Amino acid sequence: MDNTALTALQYGFDTFYFLICGALVMWMAAGFAMLEAGLVRAKNTTEILAKNVALFAVACIMYLLIGYYIMYSSPEGGILPSFGFLIGDENTVESVLAGGEDAPYYAARSDFFFQIVFAATCMSIVSGAVAERMKLWSFIAFAVVMTAAIYPIQGFWKWGGGFLDAAGFLDFAGSSVVHMAGAAAALAGVILLGARKGKYGANGQVNAIPGANLPLATLGMFILWMGWFGFNGGSQLKMSTIEDANAVAQVFVNTNMAAAGGLIAALIVARILFGKADLTMAINGALAGLVSITAEPLTPTALQSTLIGGVGGVLVVFAIVGFDKIKIDDPVGAISVHGAAGIWGTLAVCLTNPEASLGAQLLGIACIFAWVFIASLIVWSIIKAVVGLRVSEEEEYEGVDLVECGMEAYPEFTGKK
């Protein structure tokens, strides 16, 4: 086989691998939808599903129109992004076959597809945290701004070659760029939105509000667990060489072990704290383990990955309890899973990657959190002033399914006779 044929074969193989990984990440949208639908009350199920399907479509359109350009067409080493439209031209045959370090090794459209599902994932984190009391169209309005500008700007700082990348900040697949960013946006919204009625009582009492469908939530967790192999594995970007194939295999193994470590650690901590094996904590522990390993899923050993995920699982339990103590109401624990574990995972890079520095990691965490939180707080505040964020107390009591969507997810159980 001559060099031209080999190059074409590798290009096709890496493009195919990239697209399959993107499809796995897209499937995480189903995971978020099922997880959140299972952890809210029956009367709010249709509306949370509507948010999840709408945000994915909004993310696709806004990232096509402007988000991708901001993230990947801005000046290297910069802070301020360039603004433009659409996603540019596809690679030419000549540019691929030219060879050399600058030659593309996968289709430009496969990169866009892979990045677009990451943007949607970031926004999916927000929907669960603001569940059961936010207006549907206010949420969609925020999704437009988040996926068009807020997420892409901080994404440019690292993955687009901006100043954080130049400073040596490392985030392999997005513990901070995707997960902590989503948690920061969610936290800003929850602060302005307030807690659900009845969640917090007098003298610091916290009232549990159980979800309606734990089998569905468990299914959502496993879908997310599966999708994460594309999330982290695809971030290697190629696997047509022996070195890259070995790296992808290691990433898959580490991702799986971190989830397992997080789940078991959260289950044990919940048993110690509450005296019961809390399924919801176990679910969030697995997800926290996945978030924790996402910043660096390649350099740790499988055992180290299990321990990194385990620390994430411990942290998420205490974070959920801690947020309840300060009356930050997050129905699905999204801020704890993606925020606390995202910060830990970004710092944990220093434990296994000799190229990482604590200063650069702290700089990245601080800049990404500050930008996303402040920008989101401003956008949420504008939406609140113009159309409002929250449904009325009566509508919240009746359930947002009928108010926002005009239908119920479980009419035979919740419908009035």
Side-chain angles (χ1 to χ4, degrees):
M1 181 181 294
D2 60 28
N3 288 337
T4 297
L6 179 61
T7 299
L9 180 63
Q10 289 179 318
Y11 182 87
F13 181 79
D14 286 331
T15 295
F16 177 74
Y17 172 69
F18 214 13
L19 289 170
I20 293 300
C21 286
L24 281 171
V25 180
M26 182 273 167
W27 187 230
M28 291 174 71
F32 278 112
M34 296 303 97
L35 176 72
E36 294 168 17
L39 293 179
V40 301
R41 288 167 288 184
K43 63 183 181 180
N44 300 314
T45 306
T46 299
E47 196 255 4
I48 198 68
L49 294 172
K51 283 178 178 174
N52 275 273
V53 297
L55 77 85
F56 187 83
V58 166
C60 290
I61 294 169
M62 298 313 300
Y63 201 69
L64 167 69
L65 293 178
I66 186 173
Y68 185 76
Y69 188 98
I70 289 174
M71 200 157 165
Y72 291 104
S73 300
S74 298
E76 290 189 8
I79 297 175
L80 297 177
S82 300
F83 290 92
F85 298 97
L86 302 180
I87 59 176
D89 298 327
E90 184 53 89
N91 301 322
T92 64
V93 174
E94 292 75 17
S95 68
V96 174
L97 298 182
E101 293 183 0
D102 296 330
Y105 47 86
Y106 50 73
R109 293 295 182 271
S110 68
D111 180 67
F112 168 71
F113 177 69
F114 189 71
Q115 300 302 335
I116 206 171
V117 291
F118 271 57
T121 298
C122 183
M123 188 60 213
S124 293
I125 295 165
V126 181
S127 59
V130 299
E132 300 201 295
R133 73 272 201 207
M134 176 174 278
K135 293 180 178 180
L136 174 61
W137 288 99
S138 296
F139 175 82
I140 293 174
F142 178 79
V144 169
V145 182
M146 180 70 180
T147 55
I150 298 176
Y151 168 78
I153 288 173
Q154 58 87 35
F156 148 62
W157 291 346
K158 168 54 189 171
W159 291 340
F163 80 98
L164 287 180
D165 189 54
F169 173 63
L170 301 180
D171 191 356
F172 188 92
S175 285
S176 283
V177 174
V178 177
H179 295 283
M180 190 190 68
L187 179 61
V190 169
I191 289 173
L192 290 178
L193 192 60
R196 291 168 292 174
K197 297 298 180 184
K199 176 64 177 176
Y200 303 114
N203 302 320
Q205 180 182 355
V206 178
N207 301 312
I209 302 178
N213 195 327
L214 291 183
L216 203 60
T218 304
L219 174 64
M221 177 205 71
F222 276 118
I223 292 173
L224 288 167
W225 193 327
M226 177 183 175
W228 231 289
F229 295 125
F231 200 96
N232 288 353
S235 295
Q236 181 64 21
L237 305 183
K238 59 184 297 191
M239 65 172 299
S240 60
T241 68
I242 296 173
E243 182 181 27
D244 286 309
N246 288 341
V248 167
Q250 185 69 49
V251 167
F252 270 55
V253 168
N254 288 349
T255 299
N256 188 63
M257 296 313 302
L263 191 152
I264 296 300
L267 196 64
I268 292 172
V269 172
R271 177 65 175 82
I272 294 171
L273 293 180
F274 314 130
K276 303 291 182 182
D278 190 313
L279 174 63
T280 61
M281 289 296 184
I283 288 171
N284 279 330
L287 300 179
L290 290 161
V291 172
S292 298
I293 202 63
T294 294
E296 184 47 87
L298 178 57
T299 57
T301 65
L303 180 58
Q304 287 173 330
S305 299
T306 308
L307 296 175
I308 290 170
V311 173
V314 173
L315 285 174
V316 78
V317 177
F318 286 103
I320 289 171
V321 173
F323 277 121
D324 271 338
K325 286 185 177 180
I326 60 174
K327 298 185 177 181
I328 298 293
D329 183 18
D330 177 0
V332 304
I335 299 171
S336 299
V337 168
H338 302 276
I343 292 171
W344 154 243
T346 306
L347 295 175
V349 177
C350 299
L351 300 177
T352 63
N353 190 330
E355 296 181 4
S357 73
L358 181 60
Q361 297 307 99
L362 289 171
L363 175 67
I365 291 168
C367 291
I368 291 171
F369 182 86
W371 159 249
V372 177
F373 180 79
I374 294 171
S376 298
L377 196 64
I378 292 170
V379 175
W380 285 125
S381 297
I382 293 171
I383 296 171
K384 184 176 182 179
V386 175
V387 296
L389 291 178
R390 187 168 183 146
V391 299
S392 70
E393 187 170 345
E394 181 181 353
E395 290 170 338
E396 184 179 345
Y397 176 78
E398 291 293 329
V400 290
D401 281 2
L402 289 174
V403 173
E404 296 288 313
C405 302
M407 63 182 68
E408 295 176 294
Y410 309 106
E412 65 273 30
F413 298 114
T414 58
K416 295 179 175 62
K417 303 298 183 183

